[in-house]
């Protein structure tokens, strides 16, 4: 892991190192020189609705243009929208998204796509990071132009809808859509338009500070309530940059990424379009997903955590479908990266193609009780298995679970957190086991230097 890049770009509290104007300027310069070395001439910048987005956009654009590279501003647009623009504009050498995804508004981040809309490799991140940290400004004779892509949302929404034929629907689905006061707020109305769907939108009025605030994919309570009240067919909840989707069925039950993967994989297999008959998820996926895929004859590969790791495993195995239970799903037959709105369209496609309710489709997978808790720790990231009281507690829980569950503990790639996941046969028991481990970590790690 580098000094700046985490599992998904550079992140932190806005206006605090490394998410400062000075670092954004340096990052812009590094990206400008990086794409010049590869023969490209433009960089695309998009952002979500955080109040700090304009500030960071200006600094990044200044840094890039100072290297003689042109900048194209896409405005407020989902992260996968920038990836699409990178793949559709031939001379775009990189795309930058200013977003901290599902985090609160105080945070922000810088995500980078390469030409073609893929995530940077470790080697490319290392090159950019080394330049940011170790190189002095080099005077340039040319200055790049900064312009606005006025139709970025139209281009992206056309791309999303062109892969589907919802105009031939036997009925309009009644949808309630939670835009998380984020990047989905405008484009959501374009994609889930009244000519195709009977859609009601909530949390689609961003003010710079209300992104992800009690809404979106992390907080679906209001969406679940409205589904029942309005007798809707389905609810869709996106995160701040709209690369994640959590669904809600007609009974108000939350449908997370693992179940959505199972539903879409079964449909694709029945249609004969599931390449290699493989689905990829992470080690954090519910054991129920493995059992569901096995029951319908689909191979299941588990990668390390993070969408980049999922994508790597998909490319290595030839799979076209993969994702995370958090709602970050990748459909390589349609796009180069995870896309919450595209995932929603794929799920709608299954509902319309089978004439089944979402609850009926979701029954393909039994979700085993799984509890995930975060413990704040110091940034030293000690090896917790070498701290005897913690290791003993983990071993004790694993012994009690036997083959009826599992324990998985890992450091967050973006925050000073230790993530504790326990899976077991009973919700109360699983919760108690998770609390037991978290207490041990708090007592022995979180306040240690």
């Amino acid at each position: 892991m580098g000094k700046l890049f985490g599992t998904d770009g550079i992140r932190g509290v806005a206006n605090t190192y490394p998410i400062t104007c000075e670092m954004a300027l340096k990052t812009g310069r590094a990206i400008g020189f990086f794409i010049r070395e590869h023969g490209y001439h433009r960089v695309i910048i998009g952002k979500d609705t955080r109040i700090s987005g304009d500030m960071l956009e200006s600094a990044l654009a200044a840094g890039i243009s100072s290297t003689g590279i042109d900048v194209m501003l896409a405005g407020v647009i989902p992260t996968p929208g920038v990836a699409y623009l990178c793949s559709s504009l031939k001379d775009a050498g990189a795309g930058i998204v200013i977003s901290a995804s599902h985090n609160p508004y105080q945070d922000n981040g810088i995500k980078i796509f390469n030409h073609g809309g893929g995530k940077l490799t470790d080697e490319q991140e290392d090159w950019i990071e080394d330049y940011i940290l170790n190189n002095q400004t080099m005077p340039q004779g040319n200055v790049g132009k900064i312009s606005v892509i006025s139709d970025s949302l139209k281009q992206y929404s056309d791309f999303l809808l062109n892969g589907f034929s919802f105009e031939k629907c036997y009925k309009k689905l009644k949808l309630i859509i939670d835009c998380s006061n984020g990047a989905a707020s405008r484009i959501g109305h374009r994609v889930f338009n009244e000519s195709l769907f009977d859609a009601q939108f909530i949390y689609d009025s961003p003010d710079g500070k209300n992104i992800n605030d009690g809404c979106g994919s992390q907080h679906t309570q209001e969406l679940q309530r409205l589904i029942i009240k309005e007798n809707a067919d389905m609810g869709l909840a996106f995160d701040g940059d709209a690369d994640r989707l959590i669904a809600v069925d007609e009974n108000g039950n939350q449908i997370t990424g693992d179940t959505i993967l199972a539903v879409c994989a079964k449909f694709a297999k029945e249609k004969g379009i599931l390449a290699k008959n493989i689905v990829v998820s992470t080690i954090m996926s519910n054991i129920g997903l493995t059992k569901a895929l096995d029951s319908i004859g689909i191979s299941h590969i588990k990668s390390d955590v993070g969408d980049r790791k999922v994508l790597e495993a998909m490319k290595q195995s030839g799979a076209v479908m993969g994702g995370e239970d958090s709602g970050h799903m990748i459909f390589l037959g349609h796009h180069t990266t995870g896309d919450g709105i595209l995932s929603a369209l794929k799920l709608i496609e299954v509902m319309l193609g089978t004439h089944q309710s979402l609850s009926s489709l979701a029954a393909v997978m039994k979700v085993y009780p799984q509890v995930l808790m975060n413990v704040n720790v110091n940034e030293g990231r000690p090896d917790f298995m070498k701290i005897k009281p913690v290791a003993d507690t983990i071993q004790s829980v694993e012994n009690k679970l036997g083959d009826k569950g599992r324990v998985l503990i890992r450091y967050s790639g973006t925050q000073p957190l230790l993530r504790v996941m326990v899976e077991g046969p009973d919700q109360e028991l699983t919760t108690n086991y998770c609390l037991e481990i978290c207490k041990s970590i708090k007592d022995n790690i979180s306040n240690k230097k």
Side-chain angles (χ1 to χ4, degrees):
M1 191 70 66
K3 296 178 183 177
L4 296 177
F5 282 91
T7 55
D8 195 11
I10 304 170
R11 285 202 197 180
V13 177
N15 232 17
T16 303
Y17 183 88
I19 307 299
T20 62
C21 293
E22 294 82 1
M23 289 300 293
L25 185 74
K26 291 180 179 180
T27 302
R29 286 192 182 121
I31 294 168
F33 285 121
F34 173 76
I35 73 160
R36 272 183 51 176
E37 284 204 353
H38 291 82
Y40 297 106
H41 309 288
R42 292 183 181 179
V43 173
I44 299 164
I45 300 179
K47 59 189 175 184
D48 66 21
T49 58
R50 294 163 208 271
I51 194 170
S52 58
D54 293 345
M55 173 186 75
L56 295 169
E57 177 189 65
S58 297
L60 281 163
I64 295 164
S65 62
S66 74
T67 68
I69 298 297
D70 293 341
V71 178
M72 303 179 71
L73 304 178
V76 173
I77 188 172
T79 288
V82 172
Y84 165 69
L85 292 173
C86 277
S87 66
S88 64
L89 298 175
K90 293 182 180 179
D91 59 349
I96 301 172
V97 182
I98 304 165
S99 173
S101 191
H102 56 283
N103 287 11
Y105 87 90
Q106 296 93 336
D107 294 347
N108 219 325
I110 300 171
K111 304 180 183 183
I112 307 169
F113 291 97
N114 58 28
H115 172 73
K119 293 288 181 74
L120 297 183
T121 65
D122 291 339
E123 293 74 21
Q124 290 171 329
E125 286 186 350
D126 289 344
W127 191 100
I128 291 172
E129 183 168 292
D130 181 68
Y131 192 93
I132 295 168
L133 297 175
N134 300 315
N135 283 271
Q136 299 297 317
T137 301
M138 296 189 297
Q140 298 296 307
N142 297 321
V143 174
K145 295 184 297 183
I146 300 176
S147 59
V148 174
I149 307 175
S150 59
D151 64 342
S152 61
L153 294 186
K154 181 181 186 304
Q155 287 187 51
Y156 179 44
S157 60
D158 286 349
F159 157 73
L160 288 170
L161 288 171
N162 281 343
F164 302 92
S165 55
F166 295 136
E167 67 274 8
K168 300 175 183 177
C169 296
Y170 70 99
K171 61 169 275 190
K172 285 186 180 180
L173 290 179
K174 186 173 184 178
L175 309 175
I176 299 180
I177 299 169
D178 181 345
C179 299
S180 201
N181 290 317
S185 296
R186 285 184 59 197
I187 196 165
H189 289 265
R190 279 184 168 271
V191 175
F192 304 101
N193 61 77
E194 61 183 11
S195 68
L196 299 176
F197 305 102
D198 177 6
Q200 175 183 335
F201 293 85
I202 60 174
Y203 299 112
D204 61 339
S205 301
D207 63 9
K209 295 184 178 181
N210 60 2
I211 185 171
N212 300 320
D213 186 10
C215 57
S217 62
Q218 302 290 103
H219 308 281
T220 61
Q221 296 87 346
E222 178 64 10
L223 180 60
Q224 291 173 282
R225 185 188 71 80
L226 283 175
I227 288 292
I228 301 298
K229 179 184 176 183
E230 302 294 334
N231 195 28
D233 294 305
M234 176 169 57
L236 303 170
F238 303 106
D239 66 335
D241 67 336
D243 64 355
R244 294 186 182 191
L245 165 73
I246 296 296
V248 175
D249 72 17
E250 74 282 5
N251 299 316
N253 299 310
Q254 189 180 84
I255 308 295
T256 60
D258 284 346
T259 302
I260 294 172
L261 277 178
V263 169
C264 292
K266 182 176 184 290
F267 182 74
K269 179 178 172 63
E270 291 170 349
K271 293 291 184 180
I273 56 174
L274 185 64
K276 302 291 185 178
N277 201 38
I278 294 172
V279 168
V280 177
S281 70
T282 76
I283 54 175
M284 296 292 286
S285 62
N286 193 278
I287 192 173
L289 177 59
T290 300
K291 292 180 179 293
L293 295 176
D294 184 62
S295 71
I296 53 182
I298 297 174
S299 298
H300 186 199
I301 294 176
K302 293 185 180 181
S303 73
D304 288 336
V305 175
D307 64 292
R308 273 207 310 165
K309 299 299 183 182
V310 171
L311 185 57
E312 287 173 10
M314 290 174 70
K315 289 181 175 179
Q316 290 170 2
S317 64
V320 294
M321 191 179 299
E324 301 177 276
D325 192 46
S326 61
H328 195 261
M329 287 158 284
I330 304 170
F331 296 90
L332 279 184
H334 293 263
H335 205 346
T336 60
T337 191
D339 189 324
I341 296 177
L342 174 60
S343 298
L345 294 175
K346 292 294 291 183
L347 190 56
I348 289 170
E349 180 182 49
V350 178
M351 290 179 66
L352 296 174
T354 61
H355 293 197
Q356 291 186 51
S357 66
L358 183 52
S359 64
S360 296
L361 292 167
V364 68
M365 175 179 156
K366 175 187 175 183
V367 179
Y368 283 66
Q370 187 183 81
V371 178
L372 177 63
M373 297 181 182
N374 295 323
V375 183
N376 286 298
V377 294
N378 69 74
E379 296 183 359
R381 295 177 177 247
D383 184 346
F384 51 86
M385 290 306 293
K386 290 184 178 179
I387 300 173
K388 192 174 187 304
V390 176
D392 288 348
T393 302
I394 294 170
Q395 186 62 60
S396 172
V397 170
E398 288 179 332
N399 290 341
K400 293 172 186 175
L401 285 170
D403 60 359
K404 295 181 181 179
R406 63 182 179 130
V407 175
L408 182 63
I409 303 174
R410 53 176 285 271
Y411 281 104
S412 165
T414 57
Q415 298 169 285
L417 300 173
L418 199 53
R419 303 195 189 282
V420 180
M421 189 275 282
V422 179
E423 208 166 58
D426 173 82
Q427 185 67 50
E428 183 178 358
L429 193 64
T430 303
T431 300
N432 289 337
Y433 285 153
C434 195
L435 287 169
E436 185 179 339
I437 294 173
C438 288
K439 182 179 185 302
S440 181
I441 291 171
K442 289 176 183 177
D443 291 343
N444 296 282
I445 297 179
S446 60
N447 295 320
K448 307 295 181 182
K449 298 295 182 184

